[in-house]
Amino acid sequence: MNKRNIISAVFAVAIMTGCGQKNNTFTISGDFTPSIEEMAKEGISIDSFYLADFVSREPITEKYAMQGGSIFVNGKVDEPRIAGLMMEMKTPNGVRTQRIPVFLEAGNIVIKTTTLTCHPEGSPLNDAIFDATEEISNAKKAGDFAKAQQLIQDYIIRHRTDITAVMMLTALPQSTIEEAKNVLAFIGQCSDAVQQHPLTVTLAERMNKLISRPKEGDKFKDFAVEYDGKTTRLSDYVGRGKYVLVDFWASWCGPCRAEIPNIIAVHKKYSDRNFTALGVTVKDDPAASLQAIADEGIPYPQILNAGQSEMELYGIDGIPYIILFGPDGNILATDLRGNDIDIKLSEIFEN
């Protein structure tokens, strides 16, 4: 190579390097034909698609009509962010939107699809979290849940400065107070950008509520609910000398409805033993609650029209949530489900 060609080659490399440093363009492409063909069997079709912020769902790009099975979106991104590829679908029951998580960063991102799954790959962040989730999934399939949890924790530490840690934080166990403290500890080891992401902020708030949730041995916290011109308080039932099993539920909640026969059974079984069950309907239209009460044949009293504030008072982030209070109003057990309800009451009344 002569001197002129050497200089030209060096100049070209310099230009390419400079462009790489400043490049903030992205493309997202994918062939959804396998999914489209499978969905068509159920009378479902993809009508349009667009990119949106993952949390707020505010559009990032315009909406594109689906033509054929392929998609293509491009644009610019100043710094990596969590986006959602929003697929608007027509179904026999109306229109619904499916959100596919995508880590939006410079590069060519490809949505890999099968008849059952789809995931983004082709850029550093998308590849990193996909490889990790595959390894975690394989560990769980093999029954090695300790390894799966260690993989999640290791990933968070390795990626504590990038936004993929935001999503992996949500994979940590978060049902008990100790687990909540562990989640907060891992959040504390992440960068400010990770900690301040809306998903992380919401997760931290939930964990702090769980930690402050009333627990066994705590005195009940009273609340008052207004409905149909009448105010009903939890203290109308709790702390008055009876054992009270309180079920926070809603008519629209399938798992709640599934627990009701268990509660009816113990209510009838122990009704002559200084015991009553009590329902508290939350985030539910009272008319729908009353219809469900009639449909299920619920014989025990109800507090209708409770909402978010009553749930937050007891650190409840999901229903059904069932608490057993003692005659003095102290909490004897929390988050009871299924056979555990009768087992706990049997310990009290049959020993």
Side-chain angles (χ1 to χ4, degrees):
M1 181 181 290
N2 60 36
K3 183 176 180 181
R4 180 178 178 181
N5 287 339
I6 292 173
I7 293 173
S8 298
V10 171
F11 182 63
V13 169
I15 292 175
M16 290 173 64
T17 303
C19 290
Q21 291 172 344
K22 296 180 180 180
N23 180 32
N24 60 354
T25 61
F26 69 85
T27 65
I28 298 178
S29 60
D31 182 3
F32 281 78
T33 301
S35 298
I36 290 171
E37 291 176 348
E38 191 67 23
M39 289 188 296
K41 298 175 184 178
E42 306 294 330
I44 302 171
S45 62
I46 300 176
D47 185 54
S48 58
F49 61 93
Y50 63 98
L51 275 180
D53 181 82
F54 187 80
V55 178
S56 70
R57 302 201 178 203
E58 285 293 317
I60 296 172
T61 67
E62 62 181 286
K63 188 179 295 185
Y64 302 93
M66 192 71 179
Q67 296 179 347
S70 297
I71 68 161
F72 182 83
V73 181
N74 64 354
K76 293 184 177 182
V77 58
D78 292 329
E79 59 183 3
R81 63 188 295 187
I82 308 175
L85 178 60
M86 315 298 283
M87 311 296 288
E88 294 189 335
M89 302 177 180
K90 290 182 179 178
T91 77
N93 298 318
V95 177
R96 67 180 176 88
T97 302
Q98 179 179 342
R99 179 179 56 172
I100 303 170
V102 180
F103 289 95
L104 200 58
E105 60 184 332
N108 299 317
I109 302 167
V110 178
I111 308 296
K112 293 291 185 179
T113 64
T114 67
T115 56
L116 298 176
T117 64
C118 59
H119 68 271
E121 61 180 49
S123 67
L125 295 182
N126 287 294
D127 288 346
I129 198 162
F130 175 71
D131 290 344
T133 52
E134 281 285 283
E135 191 175 2
I136 293 164
S137 178
N138 289 335
K140 289 180 178 180
K141 288 176 183 177
D144 195 344
F145 296 100
K147 179 181 178 181
Q149 290 309 311
Q150 190 61 54
L151 289 169
I152 292 170
Q153 295 177 7
D154 291 345
Y155 185 94
I156 292 168
I157 297 304
R158 286 199 312 273
H159 292 263
R160 58 186 178 272
T161 61
D162 73 61
I163 58 170
T164 60
V166 172
M167 295 294 268
M168 197 62 80
L169 282 165
T170 65
L172 289 168
Q174 46 194 264
S175 299
T176 68
I177 290 175
E178 287 307 311
E179 288 171 348
K181 290 178 179 177
N182 185 58
V183 171
L184 292 174
F186 274 97
I187 290 175
Q189 296 179 66
C190 293
S191 67
D192 288 345
V194 172
Q195 292 187 36
Q196 293 166 11
H197 191 278
L199 283 178
T200 310
V201 170
T202 299
L203 177 62
E205 289 174 350
R206 285 180 49 238
M207 295 302 97
N208 281 312
K209 286 179 183 176
L210 176 55
I211 291 170
S212 62
R213 171 188 291 173
K215 56 188 179 297
E216 292 181 18
D218 288 351
K219 192 76 174 178
F220 82 99
K221 295 182 178 181
D222 200 12
F223 57 76
V225 179
E226 293 186 6
Y227 170 65
D228 198 25
K230 180 182 177 181
T231 299
T232 307
R233 298 180 180 276
L234 184 64
S235 56
D236 293 338
Y237 301 92
V238 175
R240 291 178 172 267
K242 278 191 172 186
Y243 292 91
V244 185
L245 185 74
V246 180
D247 175 28
F248 292 84
W249 71 288
S251 65
W252 44 262
C253 168
C256 297
R257 301 287 286 262
E259 285 292 343
I260 288 172
N262 298 322
I263 300 171
I264 292 175
V266 296
H267 177 75
K268 292 178 178 178
K269 183 176 180 179
Y270 299 109
S271 60
D272 62 346
R273 306 287 294 277
N274 201 36
F275 169 82
T276 186
L278 171 70
V280 179
T281 63
V282 293
K283 294 185 175 181
D284 199 15
D285 176 61
S289 300
L290 289 168
Q291 185 61 57
I293 291 166
D295 292 344
E296 300 288 349
I298 298 176
Y300 45 85
Q302 300 285 326
I303 296 177
L304 302 176
N305 205 35
Q308 185 66 32
S309 61
E310 288 75 29
M311 292 179 67
E312 289 179 351
L313 192 64
Y314 282 90
I316 300 170
D317 56 13
I319 54 175
Y321 193 80
I322 302 169
I323 306 173
L324 177 63
F325 295 93
D328 57 0
N330 287 346
I331 296 173
L332 299 181
T334 62
D335 203 14
L336 291 168
R337 298 288 288 271
N339 291 334
D340 290 340
I341 299 171
D342 192 31
I343 290 171
K344 184 64 181 179
L345 291 171
S346 295
E347 292 174 357
I348 295 170
F349 294 118
E350 297 181 6
N351 291 332

